């Protein structure tokens, strides 16, 4: 939300219920959502919604009108991840930005789990059962760059201690722990970052950024 400037247009790929549109509405940002669900329980702040399967080429009845394309914690859920990222190129304005995030499978907790022979999927978190691809910092950055983007900025998030300790986050100890952990995550992201958030721009504005997705679909290798 902080990375998106006021009075702009955002395409949210994999938007779920479109909850990102709520805090952005205060900044006069118009958000268009895309997801596979029919869209019966969407945030009223969404400007527009398109039902699309993100495993398929993303064809929308809009042009290159968006200042930002957001792909928030979505890439790990799809098999055709290169196709998804390249879809952003066709809807970004010149100078627009891709904002994309994913979890860090090289987090210290999972390293320790592997050391003792445990690697179990669950109902949420980085090892969510619906995840089909997992990333380290380097493999995530390479995935974005391979789709024709130049990375401009990287931020990290901390472990969600308010969830771990079932706290509302108002506890002074949870706040201090979160602050300390975020400091560690910034200095050693490969080991301590819970998620990576990248901002990127199209490296070269070529036919892949302007052609219809159905003209030259990109398949994952």
């Amino acid at each position: 939300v902080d990375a998106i400037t006021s009075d702009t247009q955002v395409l949210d790929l994999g938007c779920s219920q479109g909850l990102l549109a709520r805090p952005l509405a205060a900044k006069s940002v118009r958000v268009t959502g895309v997801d596979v669900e029919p869209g019966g329980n969407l945030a009223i702040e969404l400007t527009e919604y398109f039902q699309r399967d993100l495993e398929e080429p993303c064809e929308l009845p809009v042009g290159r009108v968006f200042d930002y394309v957001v792909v928030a914690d979505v890439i790990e859920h799809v098999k055709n991840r290169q196709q998804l990222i390249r879809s952003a190129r066709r809807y970004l304005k010149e100078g627009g930005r891709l904002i994309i995030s994913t979890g860090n499978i090289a987090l210290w907790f999972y390293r320790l789990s592997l050391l003792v022979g445990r690697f179990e999927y669950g109902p949420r978190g980085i090892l969510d059962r619906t995840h089909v691809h997992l990333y380290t910092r380097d493999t995530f950055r390479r995935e974005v760059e391979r789709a024709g983007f130049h990375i401009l900025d990287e931020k990290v998030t901390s472990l969600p201690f308010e969830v771990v300790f079932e706290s509302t986050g108002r506890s002074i100890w949870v706040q201090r722990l979160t602050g300390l952990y975020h400091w560690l995550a910034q200095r050693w992201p490969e080991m301590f970052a819970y998620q990576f958030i990248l901002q990127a721009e199209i490296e070269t504005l070529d036919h892949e950024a302007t052609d219809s997705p159905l003209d030259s679909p990109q398949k994952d290798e």
Side-chain angles (χ1 to χ4, degrees), residues 29-100:
V29 174
R30 294 167 56 86
V31 180
T32 297
V34 179
D35 212 307
V36 71
E37 299 299 328
N41 190 27
L42 297 172
I44 61 173
E45 292 84 358
L46 273 179
T47 303
E48 200 166 12
Y49 178 81
F50 298 105
Q51 183 184 1
R52 298 289 189 276
D53 183 352
L54 295 179
E55 292 286 7
E56 302 295 329
C58 188
E59 184 183 16
L60 302 176
V62 294
R64 295 176 59 241
V65 299
F66 295 100
D67 303 282
Y68 301 91
V69 173
V70 174
V71 186
D73 294 352
V74 173
I75 187 175
E76 62 271 19
H77 292 270
V78 298
K79 296 176 182 177
N80 293 323
R81 50 197 183 276
Q82 273 292 300
Q83 176 179 269
L84 174 62
I85 305 175
R86 289 176 184 272
S87 294
R89 296 165 57 88
R90 299 183 175 94
Y91 302 110
L92 272 174
K93 292 179 179 178
E94 185 173 358
R97 293 199 176 187
L98 169 70
I99 301 178
I100 184 169

Side-chain angles (χ1 to χ4, degrees), residues 57-173:
C58 188
E59 184 183 16
L60 302 176
V62 294
R64 295 176 59 241
V65 299
F66 295 100
D67 303 282
Y68 301 91
V69 173
V70 174
V71 186
D73 294 352
V74 173
I75 187 175
E76 62 271 19
H77 292 270
V78 298
K79 296 176 182 177
N80 293 323
R81 50 197 183 276
Q82 273 292 300
Q83 176 179 269
L84 174 62
I85 305 175
R86 289 176 184 272
S87 294
R89 296 165 57 88
R90 299 183 175 94
Y91 302 110
L92 272 174
K93 292 179 179 178
E94 185 173 358
R97 293 199 176 187
L98 169 70
I99 301 178
I100 184 169
S101 66
T102 196
N104 176 23
I105 191 55
L107 183 72
W108 63 269
F109 176 81
Y110 298 114
R111 296 187 190 213
L112 288 178
S113 297
L114 281 172
L115 190 63
V116 298
R118 293 177 60 87
F119 193 82
E120 298 181 2
Y121 285 82
R124 64 183 180 183
I126 295 172
L127 287 181
D128 186 306
R129 294 189 186 97
T130 64
H131 291 175
V132 298
H133 196 81
L134 303 171
Y135 290 95
T136 65
R137 182 192 187 198
D138 286 345
T139 58
F140 182 43
R141 292 176 67 94
R142 286 202 302 269
E143 190 82 272
V144 173
E145 290 170 342
R146 192 159 67 98
F149 284 91
H150 170 65
I151 296 171
L152 300 171
D153 184 63
E154 177 185 82
K155 287 186 169 53
V156 298
T157 67
S158 304
L159 277 169
F161 289 108
E162 69 278 5
V163 175
V164 174
F165 298 114
E166 298 183 352
S167 164
T168 61
R170 290 192 293 267
S171 166
I172 186 64
W173 295 109

